[in-house]
Amino acid sequence: MGHVESGGEASEAPTDAWGLWNRLKTYFPTWSLLPSSLYTPGAWGYMGVDFISGFRRNRSTRQTFELLAGVDNRTFDAISALANLNARRQDQMLRAVIIAYLTIPVSIIAILAEVAGDSLMSFVRANLETSVQFGVAVTLGPVVYYLSHWRSRQIVSVLDLIRIERGQSPYTALELRPE
C-alpha cells in the first residue's frame, strides 16, 4: 500500500498497520461495552477526578499496549491515524442515525398526534405489540451506533495513552482534523 509523502514521491506505508488494526479492534467489541461498564477498572474510574488511571488498567488497554509494544513510530502513527479516521466516520454515522431514527419518526408521530390524536391512540391500542416493536427498533438503532461510537473513541484514547507513555510527539496532521 503506497502513499505520497510531502515531496510527492511514493513510499511504502507501514505494512503491518492494517493487520495490527484488525487485531486491535477485536479488543473493543461493541457488544461488551454495557456489561464491561459494570466491572472494569476504567468504568469504576468514572468516579472522582482521575478518569485515566482505571482506564489504563482495563484489559483492552493492557492488550493494546502489549500488541503495540514493539511497533515503530511510523507504524504506530499509521494505526493512530486509522483509529482517528474511524472515530470521525463513526461520529458521522451516529449523527445520521440519530437524525434518521429519532428525529424523523418522532416528528411524524408528533404531527400525527396533533392532527389525528384519537386515531393514532386507537391504532396504538389495536396494534400494541407492533407499536412496541417499532419503539424498540427506533430506540435500539441509535443505541447500537452510540455504543460503537463510544468504542471507537475508546480506541483513540488508548492510543493517546500509548503515545504519552512512549514520549512520542502528540498528533499527526490527520489526527488534528476537526471532528
Side-chain angles (χ1 to χ4, degrees):
M1 164 173 104
H3 72 279
V4 178
E5 291 187 6
S6 58
E9 299 173 10
S11 69
E12 192 59 30
T15 55
D16 4 343
W18 282 106
L20 288 168
W21 169 252
N22 286 330
R23 287 181 54 204
L24 170 63
K25 64 186 181 180
T26 64
Y27 300 152
F28 300 88
T30 301
W31 65 266
S32 71
L33 181 60
L34 289 178
S36 71
S37 68
L38 301 173
Y39 66 85
T40 62
W44 286 100
Y46 281 118
M47 294 181 223
V49 71
D50 180 8
F51 281 27
I52 300 170
S53 297
F55 180 59
R56 175 61 175 92
R57 293 189 310 270
N58 281 352
R59 180 175 178 234
S60 57
T61 303
R62 290 190 324 267
Q63 288 174 313
T64 303
F65 269 81
E66 290 169 13
L67 176 68
L68 301 177
V71 171
D72 61 79
N73 289 352
R74 187 170 170 219
T75 303
F76 178 82
D77 285 342
I79 294 165
S80 184
L82 286 170
N84 278 279
L85 176 59
N86 181 60
R88 285 193 307 276
R89 294 197 37 89
Q90 288 275 348
D91 185 58
Q92 292 168 347
M93 187 58 149
L94 178 62
R95 290 175 192 210
V97 166
I98 287 172
I99 290 169
Y101 276 67
L102 296 179
T103 306
I104 295 169
V106 168
S107 297
I108 291 170
I109 290 170
I111 290 169
L112 288 173
E114 188 66 32
V115 173
D118 292 336
S119 298
L120 179 62
M121 290 309 295
S122 296
F123 176 82
V124 169
R125 279 189 211 104
N127 300 287
L128 189 58
E129 187 175 329
T130 303
S131 298
V132 169
Q133 289 172 350
F134 175 77
V136 168
V138 167
T139 303
L140 282 181
V143 167
V144 169
Y145 278 100
Y146 176 75
L147 296 175
S148 181
H149 178 263
W150 181 279
R151 283 297 201 198
S152 73
R153 298 301 309 159
Q154 194 174 25
I155 292 170
V156 170
S157 296
V158 170
L159 294 175
D160 285 346
L161 281 176
I162 292 172
R163 186 183 301 281
I164 290 165
E165 289 192 22
R166 288 173 69 151
Q168 222 172 318
S169 50
Y171 300 100
T172 65
L174 185 60
E175 292 169 321
L176 289 174
R177 282 205 268 167
E179 293 190 33

